[in-house]
Amino acid sequence: MTSSIKKIGVFTSGGDSPGMNAAIRSVVRTCAYMNVECVGIYRGYEGMMEGDFKPMDARSVNNIINKGGTILKSARCTEFRTPEGRKIAHDKLLEAGIDAFVVIGGDGSFTGAMIFNQEYDFPVIGIPGTIDNDIFGTTYTLGFDTALNTVVEAIDKIRDTASSHNRLFFVEVMGRDVGHIALNAGVGAGAEEILIPEENLGLDRLLESLKRSKKSGKSSSIVIVAEGDKTGKNVFELKEYVEEHLPIYDVRVSVLGHMQRGGSPSCYDRVLASRMGVKAVEALLEGKTNLMVGIQDNRLILTPINKAIKGHTKIDKELMRVSEIMTT
Amino acid sequence: MTSSIKKIGVFTSGGDSPGMNAAIRSVVRTCAYMNVECVGIYRGYEGMMEGDFKPMDARSVNNIINKGGTILKSARCTEFRTPEGRKIAHDKLLEAGIDAFVVIGGDGSFTGAMIFNQEYDFPVIGIPGTIDNDIFGTTYTLGFDTALNTVVEAIDKIRDTASSHNRLFFVEVMGRDVGHIALNAGVGAGAEEILIPEENLGLDRLLESLKRSKKSGKSSSIVIVAEGDKTGKNVFELKEYVEEHLPIYDVRVSVLGHMQRGGSPSCYDRVLASRMGVKAVEALLEGKTNLMVGIQDNRLILTPINKAIKGHTKIDKELMRVSEIMTT
Amino acid sequence: MTSSIKKIGVFTSGGDSPGMNAAIRSVVRTCAYMNVECVGIYRGYEGMMEGDFKPMDARSVNNIINKGGTILKSARCTEFRTPEGRKIAHDKLLEAGIDAFVVIGGDGSFTGAMIFNQEYDFPVIGIPGTIDNDIFGTTYTLGFDTALNTVVEAIDKIRDTASSHNRLFFVEVMGRDVGHIALNAGVGAGAEEILIPEENLGLDRLLESLKRSKKSGKSSSIVIVAEGDKTGKNVFELKEYVEEHLPIYDVRVSVLGHMQRGGSPSCYDRVLASRMGVKAVEALLEGKTNLMVGIQDNRLILTPINKAIKGHTKIDKELMRVSEIMTT
Amino acid sequence: MTSSIKKIGVFTSGGDSPGMNAAIRSVVRTCAYMNVECVGIYRGYEGMMEGDFKPMDARSVNNIINKGGTILKSARCTEFRTPEGRKIAHDKLLEAGIDAFVVIGGDGSFTGAMIFNQEYDFPVIGIPGTIDNDIFGTTYTLGFDTALNTVVEAIDKIRDTASSHNRLFFVEVMGRDVGHIALNAGVGAGAEEILIPEENLGLDRLLESLKRSKKSGKSSSIVIVAEGDKTGKNVFELKEYVEEHLPIYDVRVSVLGHMQRGGSPSCYDRVLASRMGVKAVEALLEGKTNLMVGIQDNRLILTPINKAIKGHTKIDKELMRVSEIMTT
């Protein structure tokens, strides 16, 4: 393969997610395999602007496939949103002889890459790394599968104590704008009700459901609430609301928080990351740019970054129905 | 919905896999939701022939979604392979007023169901439950995802000790006829080489790879071997072969064994089981029969059982290539 | 052994903890082994007053040793604190022919048992089941070891994301009155600072420590805070305080909550529960009463319940020193 | 503290065990805290003889407390058993200015240290790191607790499939000379029978027990076998023996193998390692030598290495009795 690209940068950006290290490893090793140099860029766009670079060979990514977080660190960077910031970053990349980059991150990180590509005709490929699974153009984002397992394992523990005391728990999971984690983990954890940002089920319906649940002989209940739940109440307000209207229930709240972002990636996320890293480097070497690698029907596909950014993932209506049937 | 089906039987058959309980729960609760009676049949076809039945309502499947194994037990039954055996089973089903059944299992279990359907025009729907992922008509079988996580977690532990002692490990995983577990878990665990039933990479190639691995500075190596590896050598013979030809290596063997079939199902397997159970009951109530529920491109599909049985899953060439690149 | 005790009741009371099921199993099986009848009492003193009893044989406790929570359920019961309540309970026990009971729980549950014993000369033995490890007369309570593992696993995940973003996390763990979980899990998780109810390290010291931590090159920090931390500030107030005084830090909060009470018990807790159950039944059959089973120097000992209640566990000064040295 | 010791070496030796990294970290950080230099010695005595040293400061052991294996690698070294080998090692230590060392390992590693101390009057302190718990002078060795959890988690998974198929499993665990893992994990996993090196229960007794188990209505059974089981039969021979004499059983074998040595250490092992590391460095700085750090009754103690080596741990008779009662 004769490509004009001789040195590829790789970095992680935005919120971290399990599988990012596996993706870095894959990009680095694919470069080694293809005899292209690879450079790690620390702390995303921030490190890019500071020239915080480190050459990476195949051995430099030993034993990271199973580690959560990102060895290249991540950051959110406001300065890169300005033309001046991007100019500085471009200079640093040129200086280091970097011809192209692979960005592992979410929406915001892709937007930056796309603008940078347009301004400097700099080849960029994105790999979707976020636990939220909210990127258009891929059925799964890196870290989503791991986060779901983390959530259901935590709720399995909570259920132990909930059913020992016949209690009702509200468990808040991540998902400010999208309910994918809440819906999938809710079904997986056998939740009695799932509140997500996409749908307002209404508080009356929640009360009805809880009443029915009690009547049907259930001794305990778990309600999953996405951060951005559309009822407009946060999880503590929900507790108060329910205790007021259904005093029969002894309600507890658990906010799972940042542990959802960490942990050793699941096998699925490790494999997906490995596949995406190969695809990303290959795309760059084939002269492609401004694309995001995604997976659909278990095959890798490429989607223009602007589509990935503008598109919206939809909540799965079939799964919502499954959820409802399961709480019979 | 006016369906002639009033009472549905459900059972698990063949080797057990994580997610079977979640599928049982889903079938039972969907029946309850649809106001159809549901009967659990113990120990697969064996229990069917003995009339080992138990009515199941929505509460009878509380707190099983996260349990490995199968509360209905499973068995392999040779007598059901005879017309006489199936006659007995049919009588028992009629006696109990069971109109249709959902069978959760693999190839062998589906073959029995198909013949039974043909002989007695008895409505049957299959749900693919096996860790091997070797069923045509579905991208994933129930339990595959969980088994992969079990395997990579075990190999992560083995790698700790392998890299502490600069050792080579051969790790045998399940897969007598298919290498899906070996290939996926091998990539997920960062294995240096993966030996599967579908491809004979040749022992020379293995030695070459191990020599190269040593030279490239790797301090330890993990080789994944599927039970049915095509080199024709089992994992202990491989150890001897390598020690003879590459005395530099201190080789150890680990056979992961039956723990791969157990454990709490992953979120993915729980959700998949929940979805498949709903689909299976709905299909029966819509008058469908002799079909297997599968998942493709994250959507549920129905495949004629005879196709599911005869079809072959193929090893993923792209993933084999990823595996090769990753071991650079 | 000729004992006047023919039928023993067993129940769990107060907050549940991992290992309670293993202790129930042990009491039930020891009774079976000793040819004494055993009766499960549901929902602690509440169920005792309602006569919510169930005979239990050796097989009734199959497959529960590894389950979190308690199959006998638990509850806090205010009515049992009154003489009238205890009278009702005593009548119910007599009616059912129960001669003695084993109570698995914490301080409050033991107090009830002690008074009951004094009033009715009813033989009682306690098994310390609480994650807080705050019972005098035993080095470990049932569930403490499991809770520590749950906490460090959660913090390991949080650290992934903390070190990817160079952040400071305040993690709140259980322990309203005692800091055993905080101190042990803090050392185990490699926390930079640990705030416990027993000691007021002072907020200035915390700021000093965090400044020093930054200077020494640490890229991220975890501070463990027990619920009842003596600084008098809750975890969210601490966040605000630190952000105000050390704006260099990007602070996040995580409240681990009720998942700490659940989960499959560790091997240690399962073995301890099995041992304590045997000891408790043996003590009753030997005519002993009003004692709590404890473990000290890996040997089982018996402590008068009133000592267990009045005594105080102390925070381990040596471990506090270890904690300080480790954060160098 | 005015000590003549200015530079301390630390290394791991023999079979690795979870918690070794936590112990290394503790030694390194305690040195930093005490203003003493610390040097990591790679691959045990082998690396000592090669002068494979690396200065370690407090930051060099970041993020290893939760990692299995040992970052300093381990090895068994025959050359150090010769006076010539030890001479070379001593020269290398002097050359590097190392005044004393902390050895983390088992019996064999301690013997080497003791002889070295006698020959060269070189200060040495041992930390017991082995999963086997077979060192006299400490109730727990580093890694034992973690290994027990690894074993019971694996058996929990095996039980899923065992009870789904009404099968009998023989599970082999580590312990060539001692049955501590087998006995504790056997009780923790609810095994029906436990075969250990210390006691020959006799094959007849095993058959009796299995028959009784079947009769009592148990649907599946797990028998734990330590590697060095005294019946003289290995686990595969046991399978054949039982299948021949009790054809009613469908027997399967699982050899857990090296995964027992790896994995993230439990909280207990992390805390124990942290405490022992502090104690070891303090002992050296106080002028002590030829001692092993141990834990007894939750307090750290020091035992002369020659006693630690010659002493024998005993199998816990009380726990054997608990085991028997539990299988009622």
Side-chain angles (χ1 to χ4, degrees):
Chain A
M1 195 179 298
T2 57
S3 161
S4 61
I5 291 175
K6 305 296 181 203
K7 194 185 279 191
I8 292 175
V10 59
F11 61 96
T12 49
S13 171
D16 63 316
S17 73
M20 281 187 160
N21 277 327
I24 293 167
R25 173 181 179 266
S26 177
V27 169
V28 170
R29 294 221 168 144
T30 307
C31 285
Y33 185 87
M34 303 291 189
N35 290 312
V36 176
E37 282 183 79
C38 189
V39 172
I41 301 170
Y42 282 87
R43 291 169 298 121
Y45 294 114
E46 195 176 286
M48 190 186 287
M49 288 169 52
E50 297 174 14
D52 196 355
F53 303 148
K54 189 182 147 194
M56 302 189 86
D57 67 7
R59 291 291 68 72
S60 69
V61 287
N62 278 359
N63 295 322
I64 66 166
I65 193 172
N66 61 340
K67 302 290 185 292
T70 157
I71 60 165
L72 293 177
K73 310 268 175 174
S74 187
R76 296 178 204 276
C77 177
T78 50
E79 211 181 335
F80 191 78
R81 292 191 200 152
T82 66
E84 296 74 25
R86 291 190 293 271
K87 172 79 172 64
I88 296 171
H90 188 244
D91 290 347
K92 291 289 183 187
L93 290 173
L94 285 197
E95 213 174 279
I98 296 170
D99 299 313
F101 68 65
V102 177
V103 49
I104 307 165
D107 261 12
S109 313
F110 289 169
T111 306
M114 187 181 66
I115 297 172
F116 191 73
N117 166 266
Q118 287 160 353
E119 286 180 353
Y120 294 102
D121 194 23
F122 196 89
V124 305
I125 296 281
I127 290 178
T130 163
I131 63 168
D132 291 330
N133 208 34
D134 60 346
I135 310 277
F136 183 84
T138 190
T139 309
Y140 295 110
T141 56
L142 281 186
F144 177 59
D145 185 64
T146 304
L148 292 183
N149 285 328
T150 299
V151 172
V152 297
E153 282 166 25
I155 299 179
D156 284 353
K157 291 193 215 295
I158 292 171
R159 189 176 291 280
D160 284 341
T161 191
S163 58
S164 296
H165 284 87
N166 298 348
R167 272 176 186 155
L168 169 62
F169 268 86
F170 285 102
V171 180
E172 186 192 286
V173 301
M174 286 195 165
R176 212 170 291 278
D177 305 310
V178 288
H180 300 301
I181 291 180
L183 182 55
N184 280 272
V187 170
E192 272 65 36
E193 198 68 54
I194 301 167
L195 306 180
I196 54 176
E198 288 89 346
E199 304 265 337
N200 188 349
L201 300 178
L203 291 169
D204 291 346
R205 192 178 169 290
L206 175 63
L207 294 184
E208 278 314 306
S209 163
L210 290 173
K211 274 184 213 163
R212 210 172 45 228
S213 184
K214 202 66 166 183
K215 220 181 279 176
S216 83
K218 285 193 193 174
S219 57
S220 62
S221 293
I222 307 274
V223 175
I224 309 292
V225 186
E227 284 168 305
D229 151 50
K230 211 160 199 168
T231 63
K233 291 194 183 295
N234 77 22
V235 72
F236 294 98
E237 293 165 343
L238 279 172
K239 169 188 153 75
E240 281 177 29
Y241 183 85
V242 167
E243 286 186 327
E244 192 184 328
H245 289 80
L246 287 178
I248 191 178
Y249 273 110
D250 180 14
V251 188
R252 292 288 188 281
V253 163
S254 188
V255 177
L256 293 189
H258 277 78
M259 58 177 286
Q260 296 169 79
R261 289 201 184 283
S264 180
S266 67
C267 185
Y268 186 85
D269 276 329
R270 299 183 194 188
V271 171
L272 183 60
S274 302
R275 294 169 71 180
M276 285 181 162
V278 171
K279 186 76 173 178
V281 173
E282 285 185 340
L284 283 175
L285 295 184
E286 288 165 6
K288 291 171 182 161
T289 183
N290 220 1
L291 299 166
M292 183 195 77
V293 182
I295 186 143
Q296 204 175 293
D297 196 12
N298 208 21
R299 274 186 293 272
L300 297 174
I301 54 167
L302 294 165
T303 302
I305 283 186
N306 70 333
K307 278 200 187 175
I309 295 167
K310 287 189 197 151
H312 287 289
T313 57
K314 284 184 199 149
I315 204 72
D316 189 333
K317 294 284 180 185
E318 177 237 325
L319 192 50
M320 288 195 64
R321 190 160 170 270
V322 167
S323 163
E324 194 196 322
I325 295 174
M326 287 307 102
T327 60
T328 301
Chain B
M1 195 181 295
T2 58
S3 161
S4 59
I5 291 175
K6 305 298 179 201
K7 195 186 279 190
I8 292 176
V10 59
F11 61 96
T12 49
S13 169
D16 64 315
S17 73
M20 281 187 160
N21 278 329
I24 293 168
R25 173 181 179 266
S26 177
V27 169
V28 169
R29 294 223 168 142
T30 308
C31 285
Y33 185 87
M34 303 292 189
N35 290 312
V36 176
E37 282 182 79
C38 190
V39 172
I41 301 171
Y42 283 87
R43 290 170 300 120
Y45 294 115
E46 196 176 285
M48 189 186 287
M49 288 169 51
E50 297 174 12
D52 197 355
F53 303 149
K54 189 183 146 194
M56 302 189 83
D57 67 6
R59 290 291 70 71
S60 68
V61 289
N62 278 0
N63 295 321
I64 67 166
I65 192 172
N66 60 341
K67 302 289 184 292
T70 157
I71 58 165
L72 293 177
K73 312 271 176 172
S74 188
R76 295 179 204 276
C77 177
T78 50
E79 211 181 336
F80 191 79
R81 292 190 199 151
T82 65
E84 295 75 25
R86 291 190 293 272
K87 173 78 171 61
I88 296 171
H90 187 244
D91 290 347
K92 291 289 184 187
L93 291 173
L94 286 197
E95 213 173 281
I98 297 170
D99 300 312
F101 69 64
V102 176
V103 49
I104 307 166
D107 261 12
S109 313
F110 289 169
T111 304
M114 187 181 66
I115 297 174
F116 191 74
N117 166 265
Q118 288 161 352
E119 286 179 352
Y120 294 100
D121 193 24
F122 195 91
V124 306
I125 296 281
I127 290 178
T130 163
I131 63 169
D132 291 329
N133 209 33
D134 59 347
I135 310 276
F136 183 83
T138 189
T139 308
Y140 295 110
T141 55
L142 282 186
F144 178 59
D145 186 64
T146 305
L148 292 182
N149 284 330
T150 299
V151 172
V152 298
E153 281 165 26
I155 299 179
D156 284 353
K157 291 192 213 297
I158 292 171
R159 188 176 291 280
D160 284 341
T161 189
S163 59
S164 295
H165 284 87
N166 296 347
R167 273 178 185 153
L168 170 62
F169 267 87
F170 285 102
V171 180
E172 187 191 286
V173 301
M174 285 194 166
R176 211 170 292 278
D177 305 310
V178 288
H180 300 301
I181 291 180
L183 182 55
N184 280 273
V187 170
E192 272 66 36
E193 199 67 55
I194 300 166
L195 306 180
I196 53 176
E198 288 86 347
E199 302 266 337
N200 187 349
L201 301 178
L203 290 169
D204 291 347
R205 192 177 170 292
L206 175 63
L207 294 183
E208 277 316 306
S209 164
L210 291 172
K211 274 184 214 162
R212 210 174 43 229
S213 183
K214 201 68 168 182
K215 220 179 279 177
S216 82
K218 284 193 194 174
S219 58
S220 64
S221 292
I222 306 272
V223 176
I224 307 294
V225 186
E227 285 169 305
D229 150 51
K230 208 159 200 170
T231 64
K233 292 195 184 293
N234 77 23
V235 73
F236 294 99
E237 291 165 343
L238 279 172
K239 168 189 154 75
E240 281 178 30
Y241 183 86
V242 168
E243 285 187 328
E244 192 185 328
H245 290 80
L246 286 178
I248 191 178
Y249 273 110
D250 180 15
V251 188
R252 290 289 188 280
V253 163
S254 189
V255 177
L256 293 188
H258 278 78
M259 59 179 284
Q260 294 168 80
R261 288 200 184 287
S264 181
S266 68
C267 186
Y268 186 85
D269 276 329
R270 298 182 194 188
V271 172
L272 183 59
S274 302
R275 294 170 71 181
M276 285 180 162
V278 171
K279 186 74 173 181
V281 172
E282 286 185 339
L284 283 175
L285 296 184
E286 289 165 5
K288 291 172 183 161
T289 183
N290 220 359
L291 299 166
M292 185 194 77
V293 182
I295 187 143
Q296 205 176 292
D297 195 12
N298 207 20
R299 271 186 295 274
L300 297 174
I301 55 166
L302 294 166
T303 302
I305 284 187
N306 71 331
K307 276 199 186 175
I309 294 167
K310 287 189 195 150
H312 287 290
T313 57
K314 283 184 199 150
I315 203 73
D316 188 333
K317 294 285 180 187
E318 177 237 325
L319 191 51
M320 287 194 64
R321 188 159 170 271
V322 168
S323 163
E324 196 196 320
I325 295 174
M326 286 307 102
T327 61
T328 301
Chain C
M1 193 178 300
T2 58
S3 161
S4 61
I5 290 175
K6 305 296 180 204
K7 195 185 276 189
I8 292 175
V10 59
F11 60 95
T12 48
S13 170
D16 62 316
S17 74
M20 282 189 161
N21 278 327
I24 293 168
R25 171 181 180 268
S26 177
V27 169
V28 169
R29 294 221 169 145
T30 307
C31 286
Y33 185 86
M34 303 291 189
N35 289 312
V36 176
E37 283 182 80
C38 190
V39 172
I41 301 171
Y42 283 87
R43 290 170 299 118
Y45 294 114
E46 194 177 288
M48 189 187 287
M49 290 169 51
E50 297 175 13
D52 196 355
F53 304 149
K54 189 183 145 192
M56 301 190 83
D57 67 7
R59 292 289 70 71
S60 70
V61 288
N62 279 358
N63 296 319
I64 67 166
I65 192 172
N66 61 339
K67 302 290 185 290
T70 156
I71 59 164
L72 292 178
K73 311 270 176 171
S74 189
R76 297 179 203 275
C77 176
T78 51
E79 212 181 336
F80 190 79
R81 294 189 198 155
T82 66
E84 296 74 26
R86 291 191 292 273
K87 172 79 173 63
I88 296 172
H90 187 245
D91 290 346
K92 291 289 183 186
L93 291 173
L94 286 196
E95 211 175 281
I98 297 172
D99 299 313
F101 67 65
V102 177
V103 49
I104 308 165
D107 261 11
S109 313
F110 289 169
T111 305
M114 188 181 64
I115 299 174
F116 191 73
N117 166 265
Q118 290 161 350
E119 288 180 350
Y120 295 101
D121 193 25
F122 196 89
V124 306
I125 296 283
I127 290 178
T130 161
I131 63 168
D132 290 329
N133 209 34
D134 59 348
I135 311 275
F136 182 82
T138 189
T139 309
Y140 296 109
T141 56
L142 282 187
F144 177 58
D145 185 65
T146 304
L148 291 182
N149 285 330
T150 299
V151 172
V152 297
E153 282 166 26
I155 299 179
D156 285 352
K157 292 193 213 296
I158 291 171
R159 189 175 289 282
D160 284 341
T161 190
S163 59
S164 296
H165 284 87
N166 297 349
R167 273 178 185 155
L168 169 62
F169 268 86
F170 285 103
V171 180
E172 186 192 286
V173 301
M174 285 194 166
R176 212 169 292 276
D177 305 310
V178 287
H180 301 301
I181 291 180
L183 182 55
N184 280 272
V187 170
E192 274 65 36
E193 199 66 54
I194 301 167
L195 306 180
I196 55 177
E198 288 88 347
E199 303 266 337
N200 187 348
L201 301 178
L203 289 169
D204 291 346
R205 193 177 170 292
L206 175 63
L207 293 184
E208 276 316 306
S209 164
L210 290 173
K211 274 184 213 160
R212 210 175 43 230
S213 183
K214 201 69 168 183
K215 221 180 278 177
S216 84
K218 285 194 194 174
S219 57
S220 62
S221 293
I222 307 274
V223 175
I224 308 293
V225 187
E227 283 169 305
D229 152 51
K230 208 158 200 170
T231 64
K233 291 195 183 293
N234 76 24
V235 73
F236 294 98
E237 292 165 344
L238 279 172
K239 169 189 154 75
E240 280 178 29
Y241 183 85
V242 168
E243 284 186 330
E244 192 185 327
H245 290 80
L246 286 177
I248 190 179
Y249 273 110
D250 180 14
V251 188
R252 291 288 188 281
V253 164
S254 188
V255 177
L256 292 189
H258 277 79
M259 58 178 285
Q260 294 168 80
R261 289 201 183 284
S264 181
S266 67
C267 185
Y268 185 85
D269 276 329
R270 298 183 195 189
V271 172
L272 183 59
S274 302
R275 294 170 71 181
M276 286 181 162
V278 171
K279 186 75 173 177
V281 172
E282 285 185 339
L284 285 175
L285 296 185
E286 289 164 6
K288 291 173 183 159
T289 183
N290 220 1
L291 300 165
M292 184 194 76
V293 183
I295 187 143
Q296 204 175 291
D297 197 12
N298 207 21
R299 272 186 295 274
L300 296 175
I301 53 166
L302 294 166
T303 301
I305 284 187
N306 71 331
K307 278 202 186 173
I309 293 166
K310 286 187 196 151
H312 286 291
T313 58
K314 284 185 198 146
I315 204 71
D316 188 334
K317 293 284 181 187
E318 176 237 325
L319 192 50
M320 286 196 64
R321 188 157 171 270
V322 168
S323 162
E324 194 196 321
I325 296 175
M326 287 307 102
T327 59
T328 302
Chain D
M1 196 178 298
T2 59
S3 161
S4 60
I5 290 174
K6 305 296 180 204
K7 195 186 277 189
I8 292 175
V10 59
F11 60 96
T12 48
S13 172
D16 63 316
S17 74
M20 282 187 159
N21 278 328
I24 293 168
R25 171 181 180 268
S26 176
V27 169
V28 169
R29 294 223 169 143
T30 308
C31 286
Y33 185 87
M34 304 291 190
N35 289 311
V36 177
E37 282 183 80
C38 190
V39 173
I41 301 172
Y42 283 89
R43 291 168 299 119
Y45 294 114
E46 195 176 286
M48 189 186 287
M49 290 169 50
E50 297 175 14
D52 195 357
F53 303 149
K54 190 184 145 191
M56 301 189 85
D57 67 5
R59 292 290 70 69
S60 69
V61 289
N62 278 358
N63 294 321
I64 68 166
I65 193 174
N66 61 340
K67 301 290 185 291
T70 156
I71 60 164
L72 292 178
K73 310 269 176 174
S74 188
R76 297 179 202 276
C77 176
T78 52
E79 212 180 336
F80 191 78
R81 294 192 198 151
T82 67
E84 295 75 25
R86 290 191 293 271
K87 172 78 171 64
I88 296 172
H90 187 243
D91 290 348
K92 290 290 184 187
L93 290 172
L94 286 197
E95 212 173 282
I98 297 171
D99 298 313
F101 67 66
V102 177
V103 48
I104 307 165
D107 261 12
S109 312
F110 289 169
T111 305
M114 187 180 66
I115 297 173
F116 191 73
N117 167 265
Q118 289 161 351
E119 286 180 352
Y120 295 100
D121 194 24
F122 196 90
V124 306
I125 296 281
I127 290 177
T130 162
I131 63 168
D132 291 330
N133 208 34
D134 58 348
I135 311 276
F136 182 83
T138 189
T139 309
Y140 295 110
T141 56
L142 282 186
F144 177 59
D145 185 64
T146 305
L148 291 183
N149 284 329
T150 299
V151 172
V152 297
E153 282 166 25
I155 299 179
D156 284 353
K157 291 192 212 297
I158 292 171
R159 190 176 289 280
D160 284 341
T161 189
S163 60
S164 296
H165 284 87
N166 297 349
R167 273 176 186 155
L168 169 63
F169 268 87
F170 285 102
V171 180
E172 187 192 286
V173 301
M174 285 194 168
R176 211 170 293 277
D177 306 310
V178 288
H180 300 300
I181 291 181
L183 182 55
N184 280 273
V187 171
E192 272 66 35
E193 199 66 55
I194 301 168
L195 306 179
I196 55 175
E198 288 87 348
E199 302 265 339
N200 188 349
L201 301 179
L203 289 169
D204 290 347
R205 192 177 170 292
L206 175 63
L207 293 184
E208 277 316 305
S209 163
L210 291 172
K211 273 184 212 160
R212 211 174 42 230
S213 183
K214 201 68 168 183
K215 223 180 274 176
S216 83
K218 284 194 193 173
S219 57
S220 62
S221 292
I222 307 272
V223 175
I224 308 292
V225 188
E227 283 169 306
D229 151 51
K230 209 160 200 168
T231 63
K233 291 193 184 295
N234 77 24
V235 72
F236 294 100
E237 292 164 344
L238 278 172
K239 169 190 154 74
E240 281 178 28
Y241 182 86
V242 168
E243 285 186 329
E244 193 184 326
H245 290 79
L246 286 178
I248 191 178
Y249 272 110
D250 180 15
V251 189
R252 291 287 190 282
V253 164
S254 189
V255 177
L256 292 188
H258 278 79
M259 59 179 286
Q260 294 168 81
R261 288 201 185 286
S264 181
S266 67
C267 185
Y268 185 85
D269 277 329
R270 299 183 194 187
V271 171
L272 183 60
S274 301
R275 295 170 70 181
M276 285 181 162
V278 171
K279 185 77 173 176
V281 172
E282 285 185 340
L284 284 174
L285 295 184
E286 289 164 5
K288 292 174 182 158
T289 181
N290 219 2
L291 299 165
M292 184 194 77
V293 183
I295 186 143
Q296 206 175 291
D297 196 12
N298 208 22
R299 275 186 293 272
L300 296 175
I301 55 166
L302 294 166
T303 302
I305 283 187
N306 70 332
K307 277 201 188 174
I309 293 166
K310 285 189 196 148
H312 287 290
T313 57
K314 283 184 198 149
I315 204 72
D316 189 334
K317 294 285 178 186
E318 177 237 325
L319 192 49
M320 287 194 64
R321 188 157 171 272
V322 167
S323 163
E324 195 196 321
I325 296 175
M326 287 306 103
T327 59
T328 302

